[in-house]
Amino acid sequence: TPCQLGSRRNLATERRMMKREKIKTKRKYGQYFTPEVVANFMLCLADLSADTKVLEPACGEGVFLKALQKKGVQDITAFEIDTELSNSFSLVRYESFVSANITEKFDLIIGNPPYIRWKNLEEELKVELAQNTLWNRYCNSLCDYLYIFILKSIELLKEGGQLIFICPEYWLNTTHSLPLRNEMMRNGYFEQLYHFNETPIFDGVTVSTIIFKYIKSQEKKDTIQVAKYYSKQKLTADRLINLKHQIPFESADYIEVPQFKVDERWLLENKEVQAALRTFELVCEKEFANTLFDEKNNYHTLGEYCDIGNGLVSGLDKAFQVNGHLLNEAEQLATIKVVKAKDITPFLAENITKYIYIEEGLTEEHFREYYPNYYGHFQPYKADLEQRYQYNRNINYWEWVFLRNFQLFSKPESRIFVPCKERISNKDFFRFALVAQDVYPTQDVTAIFKKQHTQESIEYILAYLNQPIIFDWLKRNGVVKGSIVEFSEKPIASIPFRRINWNNEKEVQQHHIITDVTRQYLRSKDKKQLTQIKTLFNQLLKV
């Protein structure tokens, strides 16, 4: 009946509102609740007995508490900041773990701590952290809320105590997490680490996740047992048990990684791969490196020899593409040539698209008068164009919204284009392509130009960036989120660069041959020339 239908609609609306409120709370406290199968797996990594003293610092809805009680563990302390969650466990202290006064020490700390970037933290949490000694000693405004949970947990572990957490992986390599990582290595070692690359563990979250087992101890183990799981299929108990016991199956890899060290990058690679990457960095090393002041590296980087810029932003690409219109003379001149990410291949761009580009400053009346065909073309898109982000300006609907780096792109010289993002789950190469001087990148492309002082040819730089060692280095040291490598200015600038010693006749000759052979390949597309280029670079890079 109509009344019943109205009642159902009201109920559905109420449920949607409750769901929105729950999502809002999750974002506020960084809550992503752990699936039971994952909690059980994490617990099976622990060395447990009936009298093990356990702490759960952010218990959420209690999935770890239930699993612990099933195992017969009684001595449990738990915290939860969100008082709206079910209060079905009398042992839970509904207060902030960060500020809680805890004098006991624990055999096991386990759980899924919250992760929130500083900029997204609620003001009350920022105030709390600002008053926290551990936070002020090891963290800054670039750090994640997660860090304080790791730091305080280590402080609360007994000697020989275990820390088992599930969390995102990005802090393993970021610069601002170095103090946290150093503190972990001063106090203990990693025993096991499980890396889930884009595996859907939490609902609505696509993040590369790790589970780690860390031991607080003054004695260290030399290696870490690492299991990597690459599938996008949901985790099952069988798959997790296979990973624990290192049983081979599809989408799983097992490696032994050298124990992480203070002041070094944490790479989830075996010692042979790490040695190869270190050799590569050494051949790019600066002659007079000053490690005291050069904290990040002591090798030459691409950013020292190239200018790098992200592409122009139209705000609605399909509206700016020239699609076979009859054009007057002014309209034919009001175009630029553009390469899109989808048209880029290694060394070459396959297609060039013409885009409408009208200089700013016209009134709509003049726009219609001078560019009548373009005026008609834009009308179906007008409403959408007027909804674009305005970058604190009043942007006419026929204008590009952000002409970033336009002066750089207008330089009368060839440039290298690379897609801003590259999925590498099914490939072992990146796509750096050489394009002509009058071709522009849009927002899905980043452009690379030689600096004025750089003696190496643009063809040498192009061939260099397409070498396998660059793929290997960026895969492990770039900005990688799941299976996506990001090519914004900063990660490209950080690539080690093998500059030529212009006083070394052999190196100069190798540079000239690489340049010539690359030019030949750009004309002929003969794959034999790529083999020749690779051989020459192997000699230069000692790989």
Side-chain angles (χ1 to χ4, degrees):
T1 67
C3 287
Q4 289 174 323
L5 182 61
S7 176
R8 286 174 188 166
R9 282 176 178 165
N10 288 338
L11 185 59
T13 302
E14 189 176 328
R15 283 175 178 165
R16 281 196 299 272
M17 288 175 68
M18 287 173 65
K19 188 176 181 182
R20 278 198 295 270
E21 282 303 309
K22 192 171 182 180
I23 290 169
K24 201 172 172 183
T25 302
K26 280 170 67 177
R27 287 176 181 162
K28 177 178 179 179
Y29 293 120
Q31 296 167 331
Y32 297 97
F33 299 122
T34 314
E36 185 178 359
V37 67
V38 174
N40 288 335
F41 168 71
M42 290 171 64
L43 208 54
C44 83
L45 302 179
D47 300 316
L48 275 179
S49 64
D51 59 352
T52 299
K53 194 173 183 63
V54 181
L55 169 66
E56 221 282 59
C59 67
E61 294 175 329
V63 64
F64 287 97
L65 303 183
K66 291 174 188 173
L68 283 162
Q69 290 180 341
K70 280 183 183 177
K71 294 271 188 183
V73 179
Q74 299 298 320
D75 194 349
I76 306 171
T77 302
F79 288 86
E80 175 52 53
I81 194 173
D82 185 2
T83 55
E84 294 181 15
L85 290 175
S86 171
N87 199 352
S88 56
F89 294 93
S90 58
L91 59 89
V92 177
R93 290 168 57 176
Y94 283 88
E95 60 179 289
S96 170
F97 168 72
V98 174
S99 298
N101 181 23
I102 309 170
T103 57
E104 304 166 275
K105 299 285 184 181
F106 298 88
D107 301 302
L108 169 66
I109 300 177
I110 190 168
N112 174 11
Y115 3 106
I116 322 170
R117 300 293 175 92
W118 174 270
K119 65 180 181 180
N120 298 326
L121 277 173
E122 295 292 314
E123 193 58 35
E124 66 193 74
L125 300 182
K126 287 183 178 179
V127 170
E128 180 184 36
L129 290 176
Q131 298 168 352
N132 186 279
T133 304
L134 280 173
W135 179 269
N136 289 322
R137 186 184 305 159
Y138 298 105
C139 305
N140 58 40
S141 61
L142 294 174
C143 294
D144 194 292
Y145 194 43
L146 160 71
Y147 296 8
I148 192 64
F149 281 76
I150 296 175
L151 287 164
K152 188 166 182 176
S153 293
I154 292 171
E155 195 176 66
L156 294 173
L157 282 174
K158 296 177 181 177
E159 179 69 12
Q162 312 156 75
L163 176 63
I164 301 175
F165 271 172
I166 180 169
C167 60
E169 62 141 359
Y170 53 79
W171 61 277
L172 297 182
N173 259 310
T174 55
T175 303
H176 50 263
S177 65
L178 182 62
L180 163 66
R181 299 201 308 269
N182 283 349
E183 181 66 4
M184 294 185 81
M185 299 326 299
R186 290 189 192 103
N187 285 278
Y189 63 89
F190 284 83
E191 184 178 279
Q192 300 172 49
L193 196 149
Y194 299 83
H195 183 273
F196 302 99
N197 190 41
E198 291 191 336
T199 304
I201 295 177
F202 304 109
D203 290 339
V205 180
T206 53
V207 62
S208 189
T209 305
I210 59 171
I211 293 171
F212 67 81
K213 181 180 180 181
Y214 168 90
I215 309 297
K216 183 174 181 176
S217 172
Q218 291 309 303
E219 294 183 10
K220 314 285 194 226
K221 281 192 176 178
D222 293 333
T223 58
I224 310 166
Q225 298 303 315
V226 174
K228 296 183 178 183
Y229 182 66
Y230 297 99
S231 176
K232 286 191 174 182
Q233 293 182 325
K234 283 202 169 183
L235 290 171
T236 63
D238 288 342
R239 290 192 182 105
L240 287 165
I241 291 301
N242 285 345
L243 290 171
K244 181 179 187 296
H245 295 291
Q246 300 205 344
I247 297 169
F249 70 104
E250 188 179 1
S251 301
D253 281 341
Y254 307 107
I255 56 175
E256 196 170 64
V257 171
Q259 189 63 236
F260 302 142
K261 295 179 181 177
V262 170
D263 288 333
E264 290 189 5
R265 289 196 305 265
W266 290 5
L267 297 180
L268 301 183
E269 301 295 343
N270 62 39
K271 62 182 180 181
E272 290 77 19
V273 172
Q274 292 195 26
L277 294 176
R278 182 60 187 143
T279 299
F280 166 56
E281 291 175 354
L282 284 172
V283 299
C284 301
E285 198 167 36
K286 295 176 180 177
E287 191 174 350
F288 301 107
N290 187 340
T291 54
L292 180 63
F293 296 102
D294 194 0
E295 295 179 3
K296 290 186 181 178
N297 55 60
N298 59 354
Y299 47 77
H300 295 279
T301 61
L302 193 71
E304 297 170 51
Y305 294 86
C306 291
D307 292 315
I308 302 157
N310 296 123
L312 312 174
V313 181
S314 70
L316 188 66
D317 267 16
K318 62 183 179 181
F320 287 85
Q321 293 177 6
V322 180
N323 295 317
H325 299 295
L326 288 172
L327 305 175
N328 64 29
E329 187 176 347
E331 289 167 338
Q332 289 175 32
L333 293 172
T335 61
I336 56 173
K337 289 184 280 187
V338 163
V339 164
K340 298 283 294 173
K342 65 182 177 62
D343 297 321
I344 295 174
T345 66
F347 286 87
L348 296 155
E350 292 186 328
N351 290 303
I352 291 175
T353 306
K354 277 196 172 183
Y355 271 55
I356 299 167
Y357 170 70
I358 297 166
E359 292 188 4
E360 297 173 356
L362 283 182
T363 63
E364 186 165 13
E365 184 181 349
H366 285 132
F367 170 55
R368 184 173 186 174
E369 179 184 349
Y370 300 146
Y371 307 101
N373 296 302
Y374 285 164
Y375 176 84
H377 164 84
F378 274 114
Q379 295 315 300
Y381 304 109
K382 184 175 179 180
D384 289 335
L385 288 164
E386 288 177 339
Q387 294 300 312
R388 296 174 299 173
Y389 183 69
Q390 295 288 299
Y391 291 88
N392 299 315
R393 299 185 296 126
N394 184 22
I395 301 170
N396 292 311
Y397 64 85
W398 60 87
E399 295 173 348
W400 291 60
V401 293
F402 191 14
L403 295 172
R404 60 182 174 185
N405 302 306
F406 191 80
Q407 189 172 356
L408 175 65
F409 303 149
S410 300
K411 289 173 71 172
E413 60 188 67
S414 300
R415 63 285 314 268
I416 296 169
F417 283 1
V418 63
C420 284
K421 294 183 178 180
E422 188 77 278
R423 178 171 288 279
I424 59 170
S425 46
N426 297 310
K427 64 175 66 154
D428 59 359
F429 61 88
F430 293 130
R431 296 177 290 153
F432 291 91
L434 189 67
V435 297
Q437 64 180 37
D438 56 349
V439 179
Y440 291 78
T442 52
Q443 64 264 27
D444 61 353
V445 172
T446 300
I448 302 166
F449 294 77
K450 280 177 52 175
K451 285 185 184 289
Q452 192 170 358
H453 66 77
T454 302
Q455 291 181 259
E456 288 78 9
S457 69
I458 192 71
E459 291 86 2
Y460 172 87
I461 297 169
L462 170 72
Y464 176 77
L465 291 172
N466 280 298
Q467 292 310 299
I469 191 65
I470 302 299
F471 178 88
D472 291 340
W473 191 89
L474 278 168
K475 181 180 175 182
R476 296 163 178 91
N477 298 283
V479 177
V480 184
K481 297 179 179 176
S483 292
I484 305 292
V485 180
E486 294 189 1
F487 288 99
S488 56
E489 295 176 33
K490 193 171 180 180
I492 293 177
S494 72
I495 297 171
F497 183 61
R498 177 55 165 96
R499 62 184 290 276
I500 295 297
N501 179 357
W502 297 99
N503 296 317
N504 183 315
E505 189 176 331
K506 183 181 178 182
E507 285 196 13
V508 173
Q509 186 180 17
Q510 286 173 309
H511 169 272
H512 293 340
I513 295 171
I514 289 169
T515 299
D516 289 342
V517 176
T518 302
R519 287 172 180 165
Q520 291 171 33
Y521 175 73
L522 293 171
R523 291 192 296 268
S524 70
K525 300 181 185 177
D526 184 347
K527 295 291 176 64
K528 292 176 184 175
Q529 288 153 350
L530 293 182
T531 303
Q532 188 179 353
I533 291 168
K534 184 177 178 182
T535 300
L536 287 163
F537 268 116
N538 285 349
Q539 294 169 10
L540 276 172
L541 301 173
K542 299 179 182 176
V543 296

